[in-house]
Amino acid sequence: MTQPALPYDPLGIAVDLIRCPSVTPADAGALAVLERYLAPLGFTCERMRFSAEGTPDIDNLYARLGSGQPHFCFAGHTDVVPVGEASAWTVDPFAADVKAGRLYGRGAADMKSAIAAFVAAAQRVAVDGFQGSISLLITGDEEGPGINGTKKMLERLAARGETIDHCLVGEPTCVERLGDTIKVGRRGSINGWLTVTGTQGHVAYPQLADNPVPTLLEMLRRLDAHLLDEGTDHFQPSNLEVTTVDVGNTATNVIPGSARATVNIRFNDLHTGASLDKWMRCVLDTVTAEMGGSYTFKTSVSGEAFITEPGAFSALIAEAAKEVTGITPELSTTGGTSDARFIRAHAPVVEFGLTNQTMHKADENAGVDDIARLADIYETVLRGYFAGRAGA
C-alpha cells in the first residue's frame, strides 16, 4: 500500500476513518487506517483483541513511538454509535462529505477527527525528533460495554511493566467553540434496579392483597427528595434521577404483584459507588419497615468520580488551546463518563477535543478549520510536553 504523503493532512485522515462504518463492536478497517499512517513514522503497532463471556470480541490498537520516558499517551476510540433513524440524515453517515466548511459523518465529532488531528500532530513532532515516547491507545469498545477495551489494554501494559506518564483523551469536550473547555475529571455514575414485591389481588378486596405501588412511590420520593450535596470546587452537585417506573399491569381491576423502577446517580468526589449503594439501601429498608412488603435491589457502578488536580499538565493544554484559538479554556468535570475513568488509575489524565454539539446526532459534523486547529493544539502540547513544561 502506498505510504501516505507528508505532511499528514488531519482532514484526510478523518475522512478515511469516517468511511469505516465502525459501529460498536465492528472495526470495519478503522484500525488498519491508523496503522497505515502510524507505521511509516516508526510506530510499533500492536493489535490487542479481548473477549469476555456475554460480550462481543473487540479489536484495539496500541501504537508506540520510542521506548524512553517521559511517555505521552493519546487515548481515544474508533467505534461509533449507530446511525439511528437514517431518514433524519441529509448525507450518507459514512461518506465523509465536506459541505460549507464542515465534515459530516458518524464519528466526525466523537471522535475520529480528534484521532486524526493527533496523528497529524505526532507526525510533525516525529519528523523533528524528541526525547521520550508517544503512544496511541485506541479502543473499539468505548461506545459499548467498555469491558474489552481500554481497561484491559491498560492492564496488559501494566502487567509487562509499561508505564504512562501523562494521558490526553480526545473526547469532544468543548461546548460552543473549540478551546472553551478542558475536562480535568468526571462525575461517577451508579445505576440501581429496584423491584418491590407485594401480593396480587382484586381492587375491590384490597384487604386480601398487598399493593407494592405505594411502597415503591414512597421509596422513590424519599430518594429523590434527598439533597446529596451542594457541589465542590471542581464538581457540580450530585443528582439522582428516576429513569423508569414500570408496573406492567394492563388490567384496571387488579392490584399488581410487583412494581419496578430504575434510578441513576451522577455523583462527585464526595461519594463513592459503595457509599451511595449503602445509603439507598438504608432508605429502602426504612420505607419497607414502615409500610411493609419486600424488595430486591441491584446496583452497578459504571465509573467512580475522579479529578486530575489542575496543575502543570492541564496548564500546558490550556496554554496550547489559548495560543491557537485565543480562548482561555474552562476546567470542567461536567458530562457523562468516558474511558478516562479507567486511565486515571494509571496516569494523570485530561480530556480535550472538538465541540460536542452534534455528537451522537443525525448529521454529526465538525468544522474543517477546527480539525486543522486541533492538530495545531495537539502539536503545541506535544512540543511543550517534551520540552518539560508539564513536569515531564
Side-chain angles (χ1 to χ4, degrees), residues 56-76:
D57 293 353
I58 297 293
D59 282 323
N60 307 278
L61 175 67
Y62 177 62
R64 180 167 177 170
L65 178 64
S67 58
Q69 305 301 125
H71 178 184
F72 184 103
C73 177
F74 176 88

Side-chain angles (χ1 to χ4, degrees), residues 168 173-184 234 310-311 313-333 350-354 374 377 381:
L168 172 61
T173 58
C174 297
V175 180
E176 295 181 354
R177 295 183 295 169
L178 178 67
D180 65 18
T181 307
I182 294 171
K183 296 288 177 70
V184 293
H234 297 295
F313 186 48
S314 57
L316 172 66
I317 298 169
E319 290 164 5
K322 184 177 181 181
E323 180 179 327
V324 174
T325 67
I327 300 170
T328 299
E330 174 190 354
L331 302 185
S332 172
T333 59
V350 171
E351 301 175 63
F352 179 74
L354 295 167
L374 184 60
I377 293 170
V381 169

Side-chain angles (χ1 to χ4, degrees), residues 187 232 234-235 238 267-272 305-307 309:
R187 292 194 297 170
T232 67
H234 297 295
F235 286 92
S238 304
F267 58 93
N268 58 38
D269 57 350
L270 294 175
H271 311 274
T272 65
F306 74 92
I307 186 167
E309 287 293 338

Side-chain angles (χ1 to χ4, degrees), residues 103-135:
L103 171 64
Y104 286 79
R106 179 59 85 219
D110 185 19
M111 55 169 284
K112 290 181 173 181
S113 296
I115 296 174
F118 188 81
V119 172
Q123 177 266 309
R124 300 171 195 172
V125 174
V127 167
D128 291 341
F130 63 97
Q131 295 296 317
S133 300
I134 299 174
S135 68

Side-chain angles (χ1 to χ4, degrees), residues 228-253:
L228 288 165
D229 58 70
E230 295 182 344
T232 67
D233 288 344
H234 297 295
F235 286 92
Q236 65 192 95
S238 304
N239 64 289
L240 179 148
E241 301 297 333
V242 179
T243 56
T244 63
V245 178
D246 181 26
V247 177
N249 186 8
T250 59
T252 60
N253 61 348

